Amino acid sequence: MGAERPEWTISLQRTGGLFAGGELATSVRAADLDDESRGVLERHLEQAGVERLAERSPITGPGADMFQYEVTVERGGTRSSVVVSQTALPEELRPLVEWLEQRAIDEL
Protein backbone atom coordinates (compact mmCIF):
# COMPACT_ATOMS: atom_id res chain seq x y z
CA MET A 1 0.00 0.00 0.00
CA GLY A 2 1.37 3.46 -0.93
CA ALA A 3 1.91 6.41 1.32
CA GLU A 4 -1.21 8.24 2.33
CA ARG A 5 -1.61 11.58 0.57
CA PRO A 6 -2.04 14.59 2.84
CA GLU A 7 -5.46 16.15 3.04
CA TRP A 8 -5.99 19.87 2.56
CA THR A 9 -8.62 22.43 1.74
CA ILE A 10 -7.94 25.56 -0.26
CA SER A 11 -10.27 28.47 -0.85
CA LEU A 12 -10.25 31.62 -2.93
CA GLN A 13 -12.27 34.75 -2.50
CA ARG A 14 -11.99 37.47 -5.13
CA THR A 15 -13.43 40.89 -4.32
CA GLY A 16 -13.26 44.36 -5.80
CA GLY A 17 -12.91 45.16 -9.45
CA LEU A 18 -14.23 47.96 -11.59
CA PHE A 19 -17.73 46.59 -12.11
CA ALA A 20 -20.33 45.21 -9.73
CA GLY A 21 -20.47 41.44 -9.55
CA GLY A 22 -16.72 40.94 -9.47
CA GLU A 23 -16.88 38.80 -6.35
CA LEU A 24 -16.09 35.12 -6.78
CA ALA A 25 -15.51 32.40 -4.23
CA THR A 26 -14.68 28.72 -4.25
CA SER A 27 -13.40 26.10 -1.86
CA VAL A 28 -11.72 22.83 -2.83
CA ARG A 29 -11.03 19.77 -0.69
CA ALA A 30 -8.28 17.45 -1.89
CA ALA A 31 -10.50 14.44 -1.21
CA ASP A 32 -13.12 15.75 -3.67
CA LEU A 33 -10.77 15.92 -6.68
CA ASP A 34 -9.88 13.25 -9.21
CA ASP A 35 -6.21 12.22 -9.26
CA GLU A 36 -5.30 14.41 -12.25
CA SER A 37 -6.92 17.58 -10.87
CA ARG A 38 -5.48 16.93 -7.43
CA GLY A 39 -1.99 16.51 -8.86
CA VAL A 40 -2.22 19.77 -10.82
CA LEU A 41 -3.55 21.69 -7.84
CA GLU A 42 -0.92 20.21 -5.49
CA ARG A 43 1.84 21.35 -7.87
CA HIS A 44 0.35 24.87 -7.99
CA LEU A 45 0.00 24.84 -4.20
CA GLU A 46 3.62 23.85 -3.63
CA GLN A 47 4.89 26.37 -6.21
CA ALA A 48 2.85 29.15 -4.59
CA GLY A 49 4.32 28.72 -1.12
CA VAL A 50 1.19 30.12 0.53
CA GLU A 51 2.56 29.60 4.03
CA ARG A 52 5.65 31.70 3.17
CA LEU A 53 3.60 34.38 1.40
CA ALA A 54 1.22 34.57 4.38
CA GLU A 55 4.09 36.05 6.38
CA ARG A 56 4.11 39.07 3.99
CA SER A 57 0.33 39.39 3.68
CA PRO A 58 -1.35 41.63 2.77
CA ILE A 59 0.59 42.19 -0.43
CA THR A 60 -0.55 45.39 -2.08
CA GLY A 61 0.21 47.18 -5.30
CA PRO A 62 -0.86 50.29 -7.18
CA GLY A 63 -4.23 50.86 -8.75
CA ALA A 64 -7.79 51.51 -7.75
CA ASP A 65 -10.67 49.23 -8.71
CA MET A 66 -8.44 46.18 -8.90
CA PHE A 67 -9.36 42.73 -7.72
CA GLN A 68 -8.18 41.55 -4.35
CA TYR A 69 -7.59 37.84 -3.78
CA GLU A 70 -7.66 35.97 -0.51
CA VAL A 71 -6.22 32.47 -0.69
CA THR A 72 -6.55 30.26 2.37
CA VAL A 73 -4.94 26.84 2.79
CA GLU A 74 -5.80 24.47 5.62
CA ARG A 75 -3.59 21.42 6.02
CA GLY A 76 -1.93 19.50 8.78
CA GLY A 77 -3.94 21.35 11.41
CA THR A 78 -2.69 24.76 10.28
CA ARG A 79 -4.36 27.55 8.37
CA SER A 80 -2.48 30.07 6.21
CA SER A 81 -4.04 33.01 4.38
CA VAL A 82 -2.63 35.40 1.82
CA VAL A 83 -4.38 38.61 0.80
CA VAL A 84 -2.96 40.12 -2.36
CA SER A 85 -4.03 42.81 -4.81
CA GLN A 86 -4.30 42.00 -8.50
CA THR A 87 -1.39 44.29 -9.42
CA ALA A 88 0.93 42.70 -6.83
CA LEU A 89 0.11 39.04 -7.49
CA PRO A 90 3.43 37.14 -7.13
CA GLU A 91 4.32 35.00 -10.15
CA GLU A 92 4.59 31.90 -7.98
CA LEU A 93 0.99 32.41 -6.79
CA ARG A 94 -0.51 33.24 -10.21
CA PRO A 95 -1.14 29.64 -11.46
CA LEU A 96 -2.92 28.72 -8.23
CA VAL A 97 -5.11 31.84 -8.29
CA GLU A 98 -5.93 31.33 -11.99
CA TRP A 99 -6.88 27.67 -11.40
CA LEU A 100 -9.13 28.56 -8.47
CA GLU A 101 -10.60 31.58 -10.26
CA GLN A 102 -11.53 29.42 -13.26
CA ARG A 103 -13.12 26.83 -10.96
CA ALA A 104 -15.19 29.57 -9.30
CA ILE A 105 -16.32 30.83 -12.73
CA ASP A 106 -17.21 27.28 -13.81
CA GLU A 107 -19.32 26.88 -10.65
CA LEU A 108 -21.48 29.94 -11.50
Side-chain angles (χ1 to χ4, degrees):
M1 184 187 253
E4 189 172 317
R5 295 172 82 176
E7 289 304 314
W8 45 261
T9 301
I10 184 165
S11 60
L12 170 77
Q13 183 172 5
R14 184 186 80 183
T15 56
L18 186 57
F19 301 105
E23 186 167 329
L24 282 175
T26 192
S27 184
V28 181
R29 288 178 11 153
D32 294 338
L33 296 172
D34 61 52
D35 286 343
E36 182 179 349
S37 295
R38 181 176 174 149
V40 168
L41 195 51
E42 284 177 342
R43 283 190 297 278
H44 291 329
L45 187 56
E46 292 310 310
Q47 175 187 344
V50 173
E51 291 85 355
R52 179 181 36 75
L53 290 174
E55 295 171 4
R56 299 184 358 206
S57 185
I59 305 170
T60 60
D65 299 323
M66 295 293 160
F67 289 125
Q68 177 173 295
Y69 301 99
E70 182 174 359
V71 178
T72 302
V73 177
E74 297 177 49
R75 63 178 161 184
T78 63
R79 179 183 173 119
S80 301
S81 291
V82 175
V83 177
V84 60
S85 67
Q86 180 180 9
T87 58
L89 188 62
E91 283 304 312
E92 64 268 27
L93 186 59
R94 186 175 305 280
L96 179 62
V97 167
E98 288 175 351
W99 193 98
L100 292 165
E101 192 172 33
Q102 187 59 55
R103 180 181 175 96
I105 290 167
D106 291 347
E107 291 173 343
L108 292 178

